[in-house]
Structures are given as C-alpha cells and as structure tokens.
Amino acid sequence: ELAAHILRHCVIVEPVASAADLPLTLEVLSKLASRPGAPEPLVALVAEAHSRAKAAAAAAAAGAGAAAPPSKDAGAASVPPDAATAPPPPPPPSRPRDPPAVREQVAGLLDEWSRVRDQGDVAQMQYVVQLQRAGLLKCDAATSRLLRIMAELASLHHTRGESVAASGPAPNGASPPAASFAAVDAFAKLTVLLVKTVGDPSQGGGGTTVGRLACLSRVWNAIGLACAREAEDRPAVFTGKSYMRMYAIWLRELACPDQVLDLSRHEVQALFAQTLLRLNPRQVPGFAYCWLELVSNRTLLPRLLGSPNREGWVLLEQLLCAGLRFLSPHLLRRPLRLRDSVRTLYRGCLRVLLVLLHDFPEFLCGHHAALCDAIPTGCVQMRNLVLSAFPRSMRLPDPFTPNLKVDMLPEIAHAPKVLCDVENIVCRGDGRLKASVDSYLRSRTPASLPTELCRSFFLPPREAAAMQTQHDVPAMNALVLYVGMVGVRAGTGPQVAQSPAIELLRRIAAGLDPEGRYHLLNAAANQLRYPNSHTHYFSCALLSLFLEPGGVESLPEQITRVLLERLIVNRPHPWGLLVTFIELIKNPVYGFWNQAFTRCAPEIERLFESVARSCAGAGAAVGGVGEPLQQARAR
C-alpha cells in the first residue's frame, strides 16, 4: 500500500519524480499487478506509470536525436554554411515555477488558517486583518500569486483524497474515507473575508466600492488561473470539482444582502461572467461539466435573467453561445459518433435551454438569433426548442384549426423584439454593404448586389475547414433577418411575391450552390416562431419561393426538406413552422402533392403521408389533405 501510495502521488497526482526514478518500486508493483485476482486500481496504476515512463523515454530520445550532429552522408552539402554554424534556436518559453520556499510558506499559512477557521468569527477576522497588516493581502500582484498558490494547494488536497477514495478498500476491508473539501472550503472562506474587509474601515480596511470589486476580480482571476494551470499540467486526474466548489461558495455568499457584494448588481454579474468566459470549455475543456453547472447555478441564473434593464441577458447569451460553440465541432463530424462525454454535455445544454423555455421564454424570444448562430446546423431539436419560445403573456392559437386565418390574428401586426445588433453583422465592418442592401430593397439597384452577396458568403479555406462549411452562416442569418425586417414594413399582402426583398432572396438562392441554398432557407425558417409580423412575413416568403422558384428546380424540394426535418424530430415544434407546412400541403395553389419528389420512393411517400396525417390530426384531414394523399397514392 505504501509503495502504491508513493507511486500514485509522486509520479501521477503531483509529479515530483518520474517512473524511471522508482524502477524497483515499479517492478515489484508490476509483479503484484500481474498476479490473478490483482485489484483493478493497482493494475490501472501500474499501466499509467508504464505509459508515462514510455512517453518520457520517447521524449528523451527525440530530444537526443534533435541535438545529435548530422552524419557526413546525410546531405550536409545542401546545408548553407551559415546555418551549419548558427547557434540552435532557443527553446520555447516555459511557464516559470513557483519557488519551493514560497509554496511552503503559503502552505503553512493555509494550514494555520484551517486551524483558525474552527475558532469562531472573531479569531477568523483577526487572522485576516493580521495578514493584511503584514502586507500579504494587499490585493496586488503578490496577493494574486498567493491566492493562486493557495487555490492550487487546496485543490491538490482534494485531489489526493479522491485518489485515495478511488484506490478501493483497505486490506482489512475498511472503506476508504471520502474525498474531503475541507481545504477548499477553508480557502473559499478566507477569500470571502479578504474581500469583505477591504471595504470595512473598522477591520483595518479602507477601500471603496471600486476597491472591493477590484479585489473580488483578483480573487476570481487567481482561482481561474489555478484551475487552468491544473487542467493543463495534470489532465489525467483533473476533475475541476474543487474549483467549481470555490465559485459555488462565492455564489452562495453573493446571494446574501450586501451593499456591494450582491449578485443582483450588474458589476458583480459582469465580473463573474467574465471569469466564466475565460474558463469556457474551448479554453479549459476539462472544466466543461463544472462550467455548465456554474452557468446554470440556481443562484446565478435567476439573477442574470431578473436583472434591471435586462443587463444580465447579454451576459447569459455570451455564456450559452460559448458552450454551444465548444460543442459545434463535435456535432458537425460526419459520420456522427458522439463520445459519452460529449453526449452528456449536449444533454446538459439541452436541459438548460429547456429550463429557459419553461421559466424564462422571453430570453429565448429576444436572443434567438444569436443562439441559432451558435447551434450547429444538425441540432434540429435544440434549435426547435429555442424557436418554440413565446411570451408568457401570449396565448397561442391552435395551428391545427381548420381554415385558420393567420393574417387576421391581432399578434401579426406586432414585430418581435430582436435583442442583437443585426445591422452591424450585416455591415461586417463595411458600411457600404448595408447601404447597397438598403438601396436594392428600395429600388432594386445595384443589380449586381445578389452576385456580390453570394461571393461574400464564402469563407476562406482555413476558416471553412475549421467550421466544416464553406459558407458564413451567421452572416447569412443576419442578412436574411435584416431583409425580412425591412420587408415587413412594405407589407405581407399578395404583392409580397414581387417585392424587392423576395426578389433579392430569390436571386441569392439562384446564385448559391445547394449547400449555401440550404443555409439560406434555414435562415428564413429560423424566423418561423410565435405569431408576429416576422413569422407571417417569412412564412409568406417561403411559400412564395416554393411557388415561384426563379428557375431553380430544386428549390421547392429544399424548402420541403428544411421544413420537414424540423417536424420529424421530437417536440416542441415552433408554431410558425406548423402553420407554414400545413398551408403548404393543404392549399392546392402550391401543388405540393404534384411535385415529383413526393413520390420519388415508397419510403418518402410514406414519410410525407405520415407527417401530413400528423399535422391533420389523428385520422382526420385538414382542409382537404386526405384527398390529395389518396390521389398521390393512386398515381
């Protein structure tokens, strides 16, 4: 047990030695692990130690090979004389390590604080003030290093406890002790008292509100830096639980009434959101689960959404988009084979959005554009969940009502709130582009604008490879939404099919390749939401493009695909999506059942029939859907 403990902690948990430094210990443990019935933790420990030893040997061999002089017959004549005599390039800069004496001093301070913490509030405050008067807690750069080292040591204490707990029962059958958060809780309590005494003159502080917020920022940054370093240095054993607990303790403290340190204040919300953005899964992948837990924390989430003037909504949008962008590369791979870790994180994001849909639908209504930009194209159900949100004060009309007159609904006259800067996205740093779009929507000039827009939607090769698409989907989404916002002012009557806005969309669709056309139609379908002027306009726009495809024969089929793939997934389904598809299949003007693609294969025909009957209701037909189905089958 002692040998396994030394190997685990000195080689794997806190690498102060390599496996090559303990050859006899590793040899004995390897023999024990090879015996029948050897404990699984011991077998895993030995395998991990051997793999680290091989990796270290390979790195040493590579370094020796790079440093060895070239052989005489290795093409030395092709090496320029200056290069042969030039000094070797400097090694890449490494992160400086903390001096051992400093870490020992900080460890002593943390141990002493752990003892003082059990002696009551008075002793705790006296100890913190004593540290401040000694110059150790001035909220400067030295304090940041002190707090970072303390956070690392507290996390290491918890990690060691987890390692012991995972090693299995002792030989006498006793269960190992559970991992302790005592050091983590003690450190978090110390940081709380530190920040609170900064602005309390009676306790030796003399700070102001700005000073306390600055100190709070230093504390959170120090914890975040320690988290990022540990995730990079010890990825095999890093879980992030200790750092999540530190931040969770702070959230609990900030929930208590306070003039400055109150989570309802926008300044505090912004500080915490910035901290989480620096630790987002794209920066620290090993912290992804804990990060999502903090974003959806029951203390943080309601206060962000309940902030005055909706200042916290923008912060929450940034956090959610950061998490979705991390998932995007994993969900865009083809063929799609999700690892269990990615699937679990995806389900977590889905549940957070479901909570927002149930309790805060107005947030999803206002920020649907930014969220749809971040959601991968293939995540149809997640996008449906965002687009199904509607204000709690609204009562949705039944989309299956026979002969529903959408244009007569009073809600259709009102435009929805879009809480993103669509115009700046359309400009993309070039004000002339927006001016050209506005000019075309007024007078159909310049005539070359659709071609220029089609070219501008293509991404550079490197960015296209990273995004796994050739097209700038967010820019396309913004343009389609902006065109619709301008087109709504011109009305949605019978003349909408010949309006400059619809003509612009039709010409862009004709100039794009099939993939780009698919993204363009998806951008329009993203606006089929609850009853409002945008939903009605884009419903009319898609139906108009279906009826008059402008020479693109595949356009009706692609429109059907975009609508259908959003309907065949599990609920919820956006109200505008249902209304548009029902109108498409029941109105004989569009000749949906006369399209060849509805009968291209028996499986496709059965799929359309199933979806049509689902939209029509169980065993019933809406507005004559049943008869076209029978006629199509007869043909």
Side-chain angles (χ1 to χ4, degrees):
E1 288 183 17
L2 178 61
H5 180 80
I6 292 175
L7 184 66
R8 180 183 298 108
H9 287 281
C10 295
V11 176
I12 297 177
V13 176
E14 188 178 8
V16 295
S18 65
D21 297 329
L22 304 170
L24 298 179
T25 303
L26 184 57
E27 180 182 356
V28 172
L29 292 177
S30 300
K31 292 180 180 179
L32 293 176
S34 62
R35 292 179 178 178
E40 287 295 332
L42 178 61
V43 176
L45 174 64
V46 171
E48 176 69 16
H50 278 298
S51 65
R52 290 186 177 231
K54 291 179 181 178
S71 60
K72 295 181 179 180
D73 56 348
S78 62
V79 180
D82 294 340
T85 58
S94 59
R95 188 172 64 228
R97 292 184 175 273
D98 299 312
V102 174
R103 294 186 69 88
E104 291 179 6
Q105 180 186 7
V106 175
L109 293 175
L110 186 59
D111 290 341
E112 185 178 356
W113 164 250
S114 299
R115 291 190 296 269
V116 172
R117 180 171 174 263
D118 298 330
Q119 298 176 9
D121 296 341
V122 176
Q124 294 174 11
M125 192 62 67
Q126 290 176 350
Y127 182 76
V128 173
V129 173
Q130 180 182 352
L131 291 180
Q132 288 177 333
R133 290 175 178 172
L136 296 177
L137 298 178
K138 291 183 177 180
C139 285
D140 53 6
T143 302
S144 296
R145 185 173 74 166
L146 173 68
L147 294 174
R148 174 184 56 79
I149 296 175
M150 277 190 174
E152 292 174 353
L153 294 174
S155 177
L156 182 60
H157 180 273
H158 171 71
T159 304
R160 287 173 176 171
E162 281 189 325
S163 179
V164 172
S167 62
N172 58 4
S175 300
S180 173
F181 284 103
V184 174
D185 295 346
F187 168 73
K189 180 65 174 179
L190 176 62
T191 60
V192 170
L193 291 179
L194 165 64
V195 176
K196 287 187 175 181
T197 55
V198 166
D200 189 355
S202 64
Q203 300 296 342
T208 61
T209 298
V210 176
R212 295 178 74 178
L213 292 176
C215 187
L216 180 63
S217 177
R218 280 194 179 275
V219 169
W220 286 347
N221 289 341
I223 297 174
L225 182 58
C227 176
R229 286 191 173 192
E230 184 175 342
E232 181 181 356
D233 295 341
R234 292 193 290 271
V237 296
F238 178 78
T239 63
K241 294 179 183 178
S242 53
Y243 298 102
M244 182 186 71
R245 189 176 179 93
M246 295 175 195
Y247 286 121
I249 291 174
W250 259 110
L251 289 176
R252 186 182 63 197
E253 291 290 336
L254 294 174
C256 301
D258 190 277
Q259 293 183 352
V260 178
L261 302 179
D262 191 338
L263 196 55
S264 299
R265 290 175 59 99
H266 176 64
E267 297 89 343
V268 179
Q269 293 177 359
L271 283 178
F272 196 78
Q274 291 169 6
T275 301
L276 290 181
L277 285 174
R278 281 191 288 267
L279 292 174
N280 76 80
R282 299 176 75 181
Q283 302 296 329
V284 190
F287 195 61
Y289 293 143
C290 299
W291 183 88
L292 184 61
E293 179 73 20
L294 289 172
V295 170
S296 59
N297 187 279
R298 63 180 181 179
T299 302
L300 175 65
L301 196 60
R303 284 170 172 79
L304 287 177
L305 293 166
S307 58
N309 302 322
R310 298 180 175 179
E311 294 173 325
W313 288 27
V314 178
L315 302 175
L316 181 58
E317 176 205 303
Q318 294 173 355
L319 292 171
L320 292 177
C321 289
L324 293 172
R325 290 192 184 99
F326 170 74
L327 278 174
S328 184
H330 302 279
L331 299 173
L332 288 174
R333 292 174 181 169
R334 293 295 181 269
L336 183 61
R337 294 189 181 94
L338 292 182
R339 293 180 295 177
D340 291 341
S341 56
V342 177
R343 183 179 289 106
T344 302
L345 188 61
Y346 170 79
R347 289 175 178 171
C349 292
L350 204 62
R351 290 176 180 177
V352 172
L353 292 175
L354 189 60
V355 169
L356 294 174
L357 176 65
H358 185 269
D359 294 340
F360 304 98
E362 289 82 3
F363 170 80
L364 296 181
C365 292
H367 293 273
H368 80 286
L371 293 173
C372 286
D373 285 346
I375 294 175
T377 305
C379 297
V380 180
Q381 185 183 16
M382 181 179 285
R383 187 182 296 105
N384 273 358
L385 195 150
V386 172
L387 300 178
S388 296
F390 61 93
R392 283 172 287 186
S393 59
M394 177 181 291
R395 185 178 181 86
L396 285 183
D398 185 1
F400 304 111
T401 302
N403 301 319
L404 177 65
K405 301 296 183 182
V406 177
D407 55 342
M408 301 299 293
L409 297 175
E411 296 87 355
I412 295 301
H414 303 290
K417 292 183 179 179
V418 180
L419 301 179
C420 69
D421 198 348
V422 179
E423 296 186 7
N424 279 341
I425 301 176
V426 172
C427 289
R428 284 179 284 178
D430 185 3
R432 293 173 299 177
L433 179 62
K434 179 180 175 297
S436 299
V437 173
D438 291 337
S439 174
Y440 193 96
L441 295 177
R442 286 193 305 267
S443 58
R444 291 183 170 87
T445 58
S448 61
L449 177 65
T451 304
E452 296 175 4
L453 289 174
C454 290
R455 285 199 300 263
S456 70
F457 288 144
F458 280 92
L459 293 171
R462 180 175 298 180
E463 191 173 350
M467 300 300 296
Q468 300 189 28
T469 178
Q470 298 180 354
H471 302 87
D472 190 345
V473 177
M476 200 177 295
N477 291 342
L479 176 71
V480 170
L481 177 55
Y482 180 74
V483 169
M485 293 168 65
V486 176
V488 165
R489 302 168 196 158
T492 55
Q495 73 279 6
V496 68
Q498 306 302 325
S499 65
I502 299 299
E503 181 184 339
L504 178 60
L505 294 178
R506 185 180 288 112
R507 290 188 59 185
I508 292 176
L512 290 171
D513 60 350
E515 181 190 357
R517 200 176 303 126
Y518 172 76
H519 291 309
L520 182 77
L521 297 174
N522 259 319
N526 286 345
Q527 311 309 320
L528 302 178
R529 302 188 290 149
Y530 62 93
N532 58 66
S533 59
H534 290 185
T535 295
H536 185 42
Y537 180 84
F538 281 100
S539 178
C540 295
L542 287 172
L543 294 174
S544 174
L545 293 175
F546 186 95
L547 188 61
E548 300 178 14
V552 184
E553 296 182 359
S554 62
L555 189 57
E557 182 177 355
Q558 282 196 289
I559 292 175
T560 304
R561 174 198 170 181
V562 168
L563 299 178
L564 191 64
E565 69 182 6
R566 297 179 181 224
L567 287 170
I568 61 177
V569 299
N570 292 331
R571 292 183 292 178
H573 300 124
W575 180 88
L577 175 69
L578 291 169
V579 167
T580 303
F581 190 75
I582 291 174
E583 176 68 15
L584 180 64
I585 63 176
K586 80 172 185 178
N587 195 332
V589 172
Y590 302 108
F592 179 81
W593 301 106
N594 297 327
Q595 297 287 335
F597 62 81
T598 62
R599 305 182 306 277
C600 62
E603 297 82 4
I604 299 297
E605 186 177 352
R606 286 194 295 269
L607 174 63
F608 280 119
E609 180 178 349
S610 174
V611 174
R613 292 194 182 280
S614 298
C615 292
V622 174
V625 171
E627 183 178 351
L629 274 173
Q630 295 174 1
Q631 294 175 358
R633 172 164 288 187
R635 286 194 295 269

